[in-house]
PDB file of all heavy atoms in Angstrom:
ATOM      1  N   ARG A   1      20.991  89.555  36.900  1.00 94.00           N
ATOM      2  CA  ARG A   1      21.005  89.771  38.336  1.00 94.00           C
ATOM      3  C   ARG A   1      21.469  88.506  39.043  1.00 94.00           C
ATOM      4  O   ARG A   1      21.100  87.399  38.648  1.00 94.00           O
ATOM      5  CB  ARG A   1      19.618  90.180  38.836  1.00 94.00           C
ATOM      6  CG  ARG A   1      19.195  91.544  38.372  1.00 94.00           C
ATOM      7  CD  ARG A   1      17.904  91.988  39.008  1.00 94.00           C
ATOM      8  NE  ARG A   1      17.465  93.263  38.449  1.00 94.00           N
ATOM      9  CZ  ARG A   1      16.397  93.935  38.851  1.00 94.00           C
ATOM     10  NH1 ARG A   1      15.646  93.452  39.823  1.00 94.00           N
ATOM     11  NH2 ARG A   1      16.081  95.088  38.285  1.00 94.00           N
ATOM     12  N   GLU A   2      22.277  88.684  40.085  1.00 95.00           N
ATOM     13  CA  GLU A   2      22.799  87.548  40.803  1.00 95.00           C
ATOM     14  C   GLU A   2      22.567  87.698  42.302  1.00 95.00           C
ATOM     15  O   GLU A   2      22.524  88.810  42.840  1.00 95.00           O
ATOM     16  CB  GLU A   2      24.293  87.348  40.527  1.00 95.00           C
ATOM     17  CG  GLU A   2      25.172  88.498  40.988  1.00 95.00           C
ATOM     18  CD  GLU A   2      26.647  88.243  40.743  1.00 95.00           C
ATOM     19  OE1 GLU A   2      27.011  87.124  40.331  1.00 95.00           O
ATOM     20  OE2 GLU A   2      27.452  89.174  40.966  1.00 95.00           O
ATOM     21  N   PHE A   3      22.442  86.578  42.956  1.00 96.00           N
ATOM     22  CA  PHE A   3      22.250  86.528  44.392  1.00 96.00           C
ATOM     23  C   PHE A   3      23.522  86.956  45.112  1.00 96.00           C
ATOM     24  O   PHE A   3      24.629  86.606  44.696  1.00 96.00           O
ATOM     25  CB  PHE A   3      21.861  85.106  44.807  1.00 96.00           C
ATOM     26  CG  PHE A   3      21.991  84.847  46.268  1.00 96.00           C
ATOM     27  CD1 PHE A   3      21.052  85.337  47.165  1.00 96.00           C
ATOM     28  CD2 PHE A   3      23.053  84.110  46.762  1.00 96.00           C
ATOM     29  CE1 PHE A   3      21.169  85.093  48.526  1.00 96.00           C
ATOM     30  CE2 PHE A   3      23.180  83.858  48.115  1.00 96.00           C
ATOM     31  CZ  PHE A   3      22.229  84.357  48.994  1.00 96.00           C
ATOM     32  N   VAL A   4      23.365  87.693  46.224  1.00 98.00           N
ATOM     33  CA  VAL A   4      24.497  88.152  47.015  1.00 98.00           C
ATOM     34  C   VAL A   4      24.456  87.604  48.438  1.00 98.00           C
ATOM     35  O   VAL A   4      25.413  86.983  48.901  1.00 98.00           O
ATOM     36  CB  VAL A   4      24.572  89.690  47.053  1.00 98.00           C
ATOM     37  CG1 VAL A   4      25.705  90.151  47.967  1.00 98.00           C
ATOM     38  CG2 VAL A   4      24.759  90.251  45.650  1.00 98.00           C
ATOM     39  N   ALA A   5      23.352  87.852  49.151  1.00 98.00           N
ATOM     40  CA  ALA A   5      23.274  87.456  50.555  1.00 98.00           C
ATOM     41  C   ALA A   5      21.822  87.287  50.973  1.00 98.00           C
ATOM     42  O   ALA A   5      20.936  87.973  50.462  1.00 98.00           O
ATOM     43  CB  ALA A   5      23.956  88.492  51.448  1.00 98.00           C
ATOM     44  N   PHE A   6      21.573  86.409  51.945  1.00 96.00           N
ATOM     45  CA  PHE A   6      20.225  86.042  52.379  1.00 96.00           C
ATOM     46  C   PHE A   6      20.150  86.038  53.890  1.00 96.00           C
ATOM     47  O   PHE A   6      21.019  85.460  54.559  1.00 96.00           O
ATOM     48  CB  PHE A   6      19.870  84.653  51.833  1.00 96.00           C
ATOM     49  CG  PHE A   6      18.529  84.118  52.249  1.00 96.00           C
ATOM     50  CD1 PHE A   6      17.364  84.737  51.847  1.00 96.00           C
ATOM     51  CD2 PHE A   6      18.434  82.967  53.013  1.00 96.00           C
ATOM     52  CE1 PHE A   6      16.121  84.231  52.210  1.00 96.00           C
ATOM     53  CE2 PHE A   6      17.203  82.447  53.386  1.00 96.00           C
ATOM     54  CZ  PHE A   6      16.042  83.088  52.977  1.00 96.00           C
ATOM     55  N   ASP A   7      19.115  86.674  54.437  1.00 95.00           N
ATOM     56  CA  ASP A   7      18.873  86.705  55.876  1.00 95.00           C
ATOM     57  C   ASP A   7      17.461  86.195  56.139  1.00 95.00           C
ATOM     58  O   ASP A   7      16.493  86.941  55.984  1.00 95.00           O
ATOM     59  CB  ASP A   7      19.045  88.115  56.436  1.00 95.00           C
ATOM     60  CG  ASP A   7      18.894  88.175  57.943  1.00 95.00           C
ATOM     61  OD1 ASP A   7      19.249  87.195  58.619  1.00 95.00           O
ATOM     62  OD2 ASP A   7      18.438  89.216  58.459  1.00 95.00           O
ATOM     63  N   PRO A   8      17.310  84.936  56.551  1.00 92.00           N
ATOM     64  CA  PRO A   8      15.977  84.379  56.751  1.00 92.00           C
ATOM     65  C   PRO A   8      15.359  84.806  58.074  1.00 92.00           C
ATOM     66  O   PRO A   8      16.068  85.211  59.006  1.00 92.00           O
ATOM     67  CB  PRO A   8      16.239  82.870  56.746  1.00 92.00           C
ATOM     68  CG  PRO A   8      17.613  82.751  57.334  1.00 92.00           C
ATOM     69  CD  PRO A   8      18.367  83.951  56.822  1.00 92.00           C
ATOM     70  N   TRP A   9      14.034  84.708  58.171  1.00 87.00           N
ATOM     71  CA  TRP A   9      13.344  84.950  59.432  1.00 87.00           C
ATOM     72  C   TRP A   9      13.836  83.951  60.477  1.00 87.00           C
ATOM     73  O   TRP A   9      14.165  84.317  61.606  1.00 87.00           O
ATOM     74  CB  TRP A   9      11.834  84.845  59.211  1.00 87.00           C
ATOM     75  CG  TRP A   9      11.014  84.914  60.456  1.00 87.00           C
ATOM     76  CD1 TRP A   9      11.278  85.633  61.585  1.00 87.00           C
ATOM     77  CD2 TRP A   9       9.766  84.266  60.687  1.00 87.00           C
ATOM     78  NE1 TRP A   9      10.289  85.458  62.514  1.00 87.00           N
ATOM     79  CE2 TRP A   9       9.344  84.623  61.986  1.00 87.00           C
ATOM     80  CE3 TRP A   9       8.972  83.418  59.933  1.00 87.00           C
ATOM     81  CZ2 TRP A   9       8.155  84.160  62.538  1.00 87.00           C
ATOM     82  CZ3 TRP A   9       7.774  82.962  60.475  1.00 87.00           C
ATOM     83  CH2 TRP A   9       7.380  83.330  61.759  1.00 87.00           C
ATOM     84  N   ILE A  10      13.852  82.685  60.090  1.00 86.00           N
ATOM     85  CA  ILE A  10      14.351  81.624  60.951  1.00 86.00           C
ATOM     86  C   ILE A  10      15.407  80.850  60.179  1.00 86.00           C
ATOM     87  O   ILE A  10      15.142  80.376  59.072  1.00 86.00           O
ATOM     88  CB  ILE A  10      13.222  80.684  61.393  1.00 86.00           C
ATOM     89  CG1 ILE A  10      12.170  81.456  62.202  1.00 86.00           C
ATOM     90  CG2 ILE A  10      13.781  79.525  62.212  1.00 86.00           C
ATOM     91  CD1 ILE A  10      10.959  80.625  62.569  1.00 86.00           C
ATOM     92  N   GLY A  11      16.569  80.713  60.764  1.00 89.00           N
ATOM     93  CA  GLY A  11      17.634  79.985  60.117  1.00 89.00           C
ATOM     94  C   GLY A  11      18.918  80.793  60.057  1.00 89.00           C
ATOM     95  O   GLY A  11      19.058  81.822  60.719  1.00 89.00           O
ATOM     96  N   THR A  12      19.843  80.323  59.248  1.00 93.00           N
ATOM     97  CA  THR A  12      21.160  80.937  59.153  1.00 93.00           C
ATOM     98  C   THR A  12      21.293  81.740  57.873  1.00 93.00           C
ATOM     99  O   THR A  12      20.657  81.446  56.860  1.00 93.00           O
ATOM    100  CB  THR A  12      22.258  79.862  59.227  1.00 93.00           C
ATOM    101  OG1 THR A  12      23.538  80.494  59.296  1.00 93.00           O
ATOM    102  CG2 THR A  12      22.213  78.953  58.007  1.00 93.00           C
ATOM    103  N   THR A  13      22.137  82.758  57.922  1.00 96.00           N
ATOM    104  CA  THR A  13      22.406  83.568  56.749  1.00 96.00           C
ATOM    105  C   THR A  13      23.182  82.772  55.714  1.00 96.00           C
ATOM    106  O   THR A  13      23.832  81.769  56.020  1.00 96.00           O
ATOM    107  CB  THR A  13      23.188  84.833  57.123  1.00 96.00           C
ATOM    108  OG1 THR A  13      24.394  84.460  57.806  1.00 96.00           O
ATOM    109  CG2 THR A  13      22.359  85.715  58.046  1.00 96.00           C
ATOM    110  N   ALA A  14      23.117  83.231  54.469  1.00 96.00           N
ATOM    111  CA  ALA A  14      23.825  82.578  53.376  1.00 96.00           C
ATOM    112  C   ALA A  14      24.392  83.635  52.444  1.00 96.00           C
ATOM    113  O   ALA A  14      23.827  84.721  52.298  1.00 96.00           O
ATOM    114  CB  ALA A  14      22.890  81.644  52.611  1.00 96.00           C
ATOM    115  N   TYR A  15      25.517  83.300  51.800  1.00 97.00           N
ATOM    116  CA  TYR A  15      26.216  84.235  50.941  1.00 97.00           C
ATOM    117  C   TYR A  15      26.665  83.562  49.657  1.00 97.00           C
ATOM    118  O   TYR A  15      26.961  82.366  49.634  1.00 97.00           O
ATOM    119  CB  TYR A  15      27.455  84.804  51.647  1.00 97.00           C
ATOM    120  CG  TYR A  15      27.137  85.544  52.919  1.00 97.00           C
ATOM    121  CD1 TYR A  15      27.117  84.887  54.138  1.00 97.00           C
ATOM    122  CD2 TYR A  15      26.851  86.908  52.896  1.00 97.00           C
ATOM    123  CE1 TYR A  15      26.814  85.566  55.311  1.00 97.00           C
ATOM    124  CE2 TYR A  15      26.549  87.590  54.064  1.00 97.00           C
ATOM    125  CZ  TYR A  15      26.533  86.913  55.267  1.00 97.00           C
ATOM    126  OH  TYR A  15      26.234  87.595  56.431  1.00 97.00           O
ATOM    127  N   ALA A  16      26.731  84.359  48.599  1.00 97.00           N
ATOM    128  CA  ALA A  16      27.354  83.887  47.376  1.00 97.00           C
ATOM    129  C   ALA A  16      28.842  83.659  47.619  1.00 97.00           C
ATOM    130  O   ALA A  16      29.468  84.355  48.419  1.00 97.00           O
ATOM    131  CB  ALA A  16      27.154  84.903  46.253  1.00 97.00           C
ATOM    132  N   ASP A  17      29.415  82.685  46.922  1.00 97.00           N
ATOM    133  CA  ASP A  17      30.830  82.389  47.096  1.00 97.00           C
ATOM    134  C   ASP A  17      31.711  83.611  46.831  1.00 97.00           C
ATOM    135  O   ASP A  17      32.743  83.799  47.481  1.00 97.00           O
ATOM    136  CB  ASP A  17      31.250  81.247  46.166  1.00 97.00           C
ATOM    137  CG  ASP A  17      30.680  79.906  46.589  1.00 97.00           C
ATOM    138  OD1 ASP A  17      30.250  79.770  47.748  1.00 97.00           O
ATOM    139  OD2 ASP A  17      30.663  78.985  45.745  1.00 97.00           O
ATOM    140  N   SER A  18      31.301  84.456  45.903  1.00 97.00           N
ATOM    141  CA  SER A  18      32.104  85.595  45.510  1.00 97.00           C
ATOM    142  C   SER A  18      32.237  86.653  46.598  1.00 97.00           C
ATOM    143  O   SER A  18      33.153  87.475  46.550  1.00 97.00           O
ATOM    144  CB  SER A  18      31.524  86.234  44.243  1.00 97.00           C
ATOM    145  OG  SER A  18      30.194  86.658  44.454  1.00 97.00           O
ATOM    146  N   VAL A  19      31.320  86.651  47.586  1.00 98.00           N
ATOM    147  CA  VAL A  19      31.360  87.656  48.651  1.00 98.00           C
ATOM    148  C   VAL A  19      31.579  87.038  50.021  1.00 98.00           C
ATOM    149  O   VAL A  19      31.683  87.779  51.016  1.00 98.00           O
ATOM    150  CB  VAL A  19      30.081  88.514  48.663  1.00 98.00           C
ATOM    151  CG1 VAL A  19      29.830  89.124  47.296  1.00 98.00           C
ATOM    152  CG2 VAL A  19      28.875  87.701  49.123  1.00 98.00           C
ATOM    153  N   GLN A  20      31.650  85.732  50.108  1.00 98.00           N
ATOM    154  CA  GLN A  20      31.830  85.037  51.382  1.00 98.00           C
ATOM    155  C   GLN A  20      33.063  85.565  52.108  1.00 98.00           C
ATOM    156  O   GLN A  20      34.147  85.649  51.538  1.00 98.00           O
ATOM    157  CB  GLN A  20      31.951  83.534  51.147  1.00 98.00           C
ATOM    158  CG  GLN A  20      32.080  82.706  52.416  1.00 98.00           C
ATOM    159  CD  GLN A  20      30.770  82.612  53.169  1.00 98.00           C
ATOM    160  OE1 GLN A  20      29.719  82.379  52.572  1.00 98.00           O
ATOM    161  NE2 GLN A  20      30.812  82.802  54.474  1.00 98.00           N
ATOM    162  N   GLY A  21      32.890  85.916  53.375  1.00 98.00           N
ATOM    163  CA  GLY A  21      33.985  86.421  54.180  1.00 98.00           C
ATOM    164  C   GLY A  21      34.214  87.909  54.067  1.00 98.00           C
ATOM    165  O   GLY A  21      34.982  88.466  54.861  1.00 98.00           O
ATOM    166  N   ARG A  22      33.569  88.561  53.106  1.00 98.00           N
ATOM    167  CA  ARG A  22      33.732  90.001  52.931  1.00 98.00           C
ATOM    168  C   ARG A  22      32.461  90.780  53.245  1.00 98.00           C
ATOM    169  O   ARG A  22      32.525  91.905  53.734  1.00 98.00           O
ATOM    170  CB  ARG A  22      34.169  90.328  51.494  1.00 98.00           C
ATOM    171  CG  ARG A  22      35.510  89.716  51.115  1.00 98.00           C
ATOM    172  CD  ARG A  22      35.983  90.226  49.753  1.00 98.00           C
ATOM    173  NE  ARG A  22      35.073  89.840  48.676  1.00 98.00           N
ATOM    174  CZ  ARG A  22      34.423  90.693  47.893  1.00 98.00           C
ATOM    175  NH1 ARG A  22      34.584  92.009  48.061  1.00 98.00           N
ATOM    176  NH2 ARG A  22      33.626  90.247  46.924  1.00 98.00           N
ATOM    177  N   PHE A  23      31.299  90.198  52.947  1.00 98.00           N
ATOM    178  CA  PHE A  23      30.009  90.860  53.154  1.00 98.00           C
ATOM    179  C   PHE A  23      29.283  90.230  54.336  1.00 98.00           C
ATOM    180  O   PHE A  23      29.392  89.017  54.575  1.00 98.00           O
ATOM    181  CB  PHE A  23      29.123  90.733  51.911  1.00 98.00           C
ATOM    182  CG  PHE A  23      29.586  91.506  50.704  1.00 98.00           C
ATOM    183  CD1 PHE A  23      30.823  92.118  50.651  1.00 98.00           C
ATOM    184  CD2 PHE A  23      28.746  91.613  49.603  1.00 98.00           C
ATOM    185  CE1 PHE A  23      31.241  92.818  49.538  1.00 98.00           C
ATOM    186  CE2 PHE A  23      29.144  92.317  48.483  1.00 98.00           C
ATOM    187  CZ  PHE A  23      30.394  92.920  48.446  1.00 98.00           C
ATOM    188  N   THR A  24      28.503  91.050  55.046  1.00 98.00           N
ATOM    189  CA  THR A  24      27.700  90.571  56.158  1.00 98.00           C
ATOM    190  C   THR A  24      26.303  91.175  56.080  1.00 98.00           C
ATOM    191  O   THR A  24      26.160  92.395  56.003  1.00 98.00           O
ATOM    192  CB  THR A  24      28.322  90.937  57.512  1.00 98.00           C
ATOM    193  OG1 THR A  24      29.650  90.401  57.601  1.00 98.00           O
ATOM    194  CG2 THR A  24      27.483  90.377  58.658  1.00 98.00           C
ATOM    195  N   ILE A  25      25.278  90.325  56.109  1.00 98.00           N
ATOM    196  CA  ILE A  25      23.898  90.793  56.128  1.00 98.00           C
ATOM    197  C   ILE A  25      23.382  90.752  57.561  1.00 98.00           C
ATOM    198  O   ILE A  25      23.680  89.821  58.311  1.00 98.00           O
ATOM    199  CB  ILE A  25      23.007  89.962  55.175  1.00 98.00           C
ATOM    200  CG1 ILE A  25      21.613  90.589  55.046  1.00 98.00           C
ATOM    201  CG2 ILE A  25      22.911  88.511  55.623  1.00 98.00           C
ATOM    202  CD1 ILE A  25      20.764  89.961  53.947  1.00 98.00           C
ATOM    203  N   SER A  26      22.635  91.772  57.952  1.00 95.00           N
ATOM    204  CA  SER A  26      22.095  91.846  59.302  1.00 95.00           C
ATOM    205  C   SER A  26      20.829  92.689  59.284  1.00 95.00           C
ATOM    206  O   SER A  26      20.480  93.279  58.258  1.00 95.00           O
ATOM    207  CB  SER A  26      23.124  92.446  60.273  1.00 95.00           C
ATOM    208  OG  SER A  26      23.444  93.779  59.903  1.00 95.00           O
ATOM    209  N   ARG A  27      20.139  92.739  60.427  1.00 93.00           N
ATOM    210  CA  ARG A  27      18.941  93.564  60.492  1.00 93.00           C
ATOM    211  C   ARG A  27      18.775  94.204  61.861  1.00 93.00           C
ATOM    212  O   ARG A  27      19.271  93.698  62.876  1.00 93.00           O
ATOM    213  CB  ARG A  27      17.692  92.765  60.118  1.00 93.00           C
ATOM    214  CG  ARG A  27      17.275  91.700  61.115  1.00 93.00           C
ATOM    215  CD  ARG A  27      15.958  91.058  60.682  1.00 93.00           C
ATOM    216  NE  ARG A  27      16.116  90.254  59.473  1.00 93.00           N
ATOM    217  CZ  ARG A  27      15.106  89.873  58.688  1.00 93.00           C
ATOM    218  NH1 ARG A  27      13.865  90.236  58.971  1.00 93.00           N
ATOM    219  NH2 ARG A  27      15.339  89.127  57.616  1.00 93.00           N
ATOM    220  N   ASP A  28      18.084  95.332  61.872  1.00 91.00           N
ATOM    221  CA  ASP A  28      17.737  96.045  63.083  1.00 91.00           C
ATOM    222  C   ASP A  28      16.219  96.172  63.092  1.00 91.00           C
ATOM    223  O   ASP A  28      15.654  96.996  62.372  1.00 91.00           O
ATOM    224  CB  ASP A  28      18.400  97.423  63.113  1.00 91.00           C
ATOM    225  CG  ASP A  28      18.169  98.173  64.407  1.00 91.00           C
ATOM    226  OD1 ASP A  28      17.163  97.912  65.095  1.00 91.00           O
ATOM    227  OD2 ASP A  28      18.995  99.043  64.737  1.00 91.00           O
ATOM    228  N   ASN A  29      15.559  95.347  63.887  1.00 86.00           N
ATOM    229  CA  ASN A  29      14.103  95.332  63.891  1.00 86.00           C
ATOM    230  C   ASN A  29      13.508  96.638  64.407  1.00 86.00           C
ATOM    231  O   ASN A  29      12.427  97.040  63.969  1.00 86.00           O
ATOM    232  CB  ASN A  29      13.590  94.149  64.717  1.00 86.00           C
ATOM    233  CG  ASN A  29      13.810  92.820  64.041  1.00 86.00           C
ATOM    234  OD1 ASN A  29      13.781  92.718  62.814  1.00 86.00           O
ATOM    235  ND2 ASN A  29      14.028  91.777  64.829  1.00 86.00           N
ATOM    236  N   ALA A  30      14.193  97.294  65.336  1.00 87.00           N
ATOM    237  CA  ALA A  30      13.701  98.564  65.859  1.00 87.00           C
ATOM    238  C   ALA A  30      13.633  99.619  64.766  1.00 87.00           C
ATOM    239  O   ALA A  30      12.755 100.484  64.784  1.00 87.00           O
ATOM    240  CB  ALA A  30      14.576  99.043  67.007  1.00 87.00           C
ATOM    241  N   LYS A  31      14.567  99.570  63.824  1.00 88.00           N
ATOM    242  CA  LYS A  31      14.587 100.510  62.710  1.00 88.00           C
ATOM    243  C   LYS A  31      13.905  99.963  61.468  1.00 88.00           C
ATOM    244  O   LYS A  31      13.821 100.661  60.453  1.00 88.00           O
ATOM    245  CB  LYS A  31      16.024 100.906  62.378  1.00 88.00           C
ATOM    246  CG  LYS A  31      16.732 101.654  63.497  1.00 88.00           C
ATOM    247  CD  LYS A  31      18.143 102.051  63.079  1.00 88.00           C
ATOM    248  CE  LYS A  31      18.838 102.826  64.179  1.00 88.00           C
ATOM    249  NZ  LYS A  31      20.218 103.224  63.785  1.00 88.00           N
ATOM    250  N   ASN A  32      13.448  98.713  61.531  1.00 87.00           N
ATOM    251  CA  ASN A  32      12.774  98.072  60.409  1.00 87.00           C
ATOM    252  C   ASN A  32      13.650  98.121  59.155  1.00 87.00           C
ATOM    253  O   ASN A  32      13.191  98.448  58.056  1.00 87.00           O
ATOM    254  CB  ASN A  32      11.418  98.731  60.140  1.00 87.00           C
ATOM    255  CG  ASN A  32      10.453  97.821  59.411  1.00 87.00           C
ATOM    256  OD1 ASN A  32      10.451  96.606  59.611  1.00 87.00           O
ATOM    257  ND2 ASN A  32       9.617  98.400  58.556  1.00 87.00           N
ATOM    258  N   THR A  33      14.927  97.771  59.337  1.00 92.00           N
ATOM    259  CA  THR A  33      15.917  97.916  58.284  1.00 92.00           C
ATOM    260  C   THR A  33      16.831  96.696  58.235  1.00 92.00           C
ATOM    261  O   THR A  33      17.225  96.165  59.270  1.00 92.00           O
ATOM    262  CB  THR A  33      16.764  99.179  58.501  1.00 92.00           C
ATOM    263  OG1 THR A  33      15.911 100.329  58.521  1.00 92.00           O
ATOM    264  CG2 THR A  33      17.788  99.350  57.397  1.00 92.00           C
ATOM    265  N   VAL A  34      17.170  96.269  57.024  1.00 94.00           N
ATOM    266  CA  VAL A  34      18.167  95.226  56.786  1.00 94.00           C
ATOM    267  C   VAL A  34      19.400  95.879  56.182  1.00 94.00           C
ATOM    268  O   VAL A  34      19.289  96.774  55.338  1.00 94.00           O
ATOM    269  CB  VAL A  34      17.612  94.133  55.857  1.00 94.00           C
ATOM    270  CG1 VAL A  34      18.702  93.127  55.493  1.00 94.00           C
ATOM    271  CG2 VAL A  34      16.448  93.421  56.529  1.00 94.00           C
ATOM    272  N   TYR A  35      20.577  95.433  56.598  1.00 97.00           N
ATOM    273  CA  TYR A  35      21.826  96.031  56.157  1.00 97.00           C
ATOM    274  C   TYR A  35      22.682  95.025  55.395  1.00 97.00           C
ATOM    275  O   TYR A  35      22.571  93.814  55.573  1.00 97.00           O
ATOM    276  CB  TYR A  35      22.640  96.534  57.350  1.00 97.00           C
ATOM    277  CG  TYR A  35      21.926  97.563  58.189  1.00 97.00           C
ATOM    278  CD1 TYR A  35      21.304  97.212  59.382  1.00 97.00           C
ATOM    279  CD2 TYR A  35      21.872  98.894  57.789  1.00 97.00           C
ATOM    280  CE1 TYR A  35      20.651  98.156  60.150  1.00 97.00           C
ATOM    281  CE2 TYR A  35      21.221  99.844  58.548  1.00 97.00           C
ATOM    282  CZ  TYR A  35      20.611  99.477  59.731  1.00 97.00           C
ATOM    283  OH  TYR A  35      19.965 100.422  60.491  1.00 97.00           O
ATOM    284  N   LEU A  36      23.548  95.549  54.550  1.00 98.00           N
ATOM    285  CA  LEU A  36      24.594  94.762  53.924  1.00 98.00           C
ATOM    286  C   LEU A  36      25.911  95.490  54.140  1.00 98.00           C
ATOM    287  O   LEU A  36      26.161  96.522  53.509  1.00 98.00           O
ATOM    288  CB  LEU A  36      24.343  94.557  52.431  1.00 98.00           C
ATOM    289  CG  LEU A  36      25.356  93.660  51.717  1.00 98.00           C
ATOM    290  CD1 LEU A  36      25.231  92.217  52.205  1.00 98.00           C
ATOM    291  CD2 LEU A  36      25.174  93.727  50.201  1.00 98.00           C
ATOM    292  N   GLN A  37      26.729  94.979  55.049  1.00 98.00           N
ATOM    293  CA  GLN A  37      28.048  95.535  55.299  1.00 98.00           C
ATOM    294  C   GLN A  37      29.023  94.916  54.314  1.00 98.00           C
ATOM    295  O   GLN A  37      29.183  93.695  54.282  1.00 98.00           O
ATOM    296  CB  GLN A  37      28.494  95.257  56.731  1.00 98.00           C
ATOM    297  CG  GLN A  37      29.888  95.774  57.060  1.00 98.00           C
ATOM    298  CD  GLN A  37      29.964  97.277  57.058  1.00 98.00           C
ATOM    299  OE1 GLN A  37      29.105  97.951  57.626  1.00 98.00           O
ATOM    300  NE2 GLN A  37      30.985  97.829  56.408  1.00 98.00           N
TER     301      GLN A  37
END
């Protein structure tokens, strides 16, 4: 298993080099959901 993307409570998102610029992690607190585009 390998790391892909990270969305911290406080701070900036981070991505593996292999997906940088192609993947985006985000969240919708109203829906209690985290996404990976």
Side-chain angles (χ1 to χ4, degrees):
R1 291 187 185 183
E2 63 178 353
F3 165 76
V4 176
F6 178 65
D7 184 32
W9 173 33
I10 299 175
T12 187
T13 56
Y15 300 91
D17 289 342
S18 59
V19 306
Q20 183 73 45
R22 299 188 297 119
F23 291 10
T24 302
I25 188 170
S26 62
R27 69 175 69 198
D28 185 335
N29 288 328
K31 296 182 179 180
N32 203 34
T33 301
V34 174
Y35 301 100
L36 184 68
Q37 178 67 46

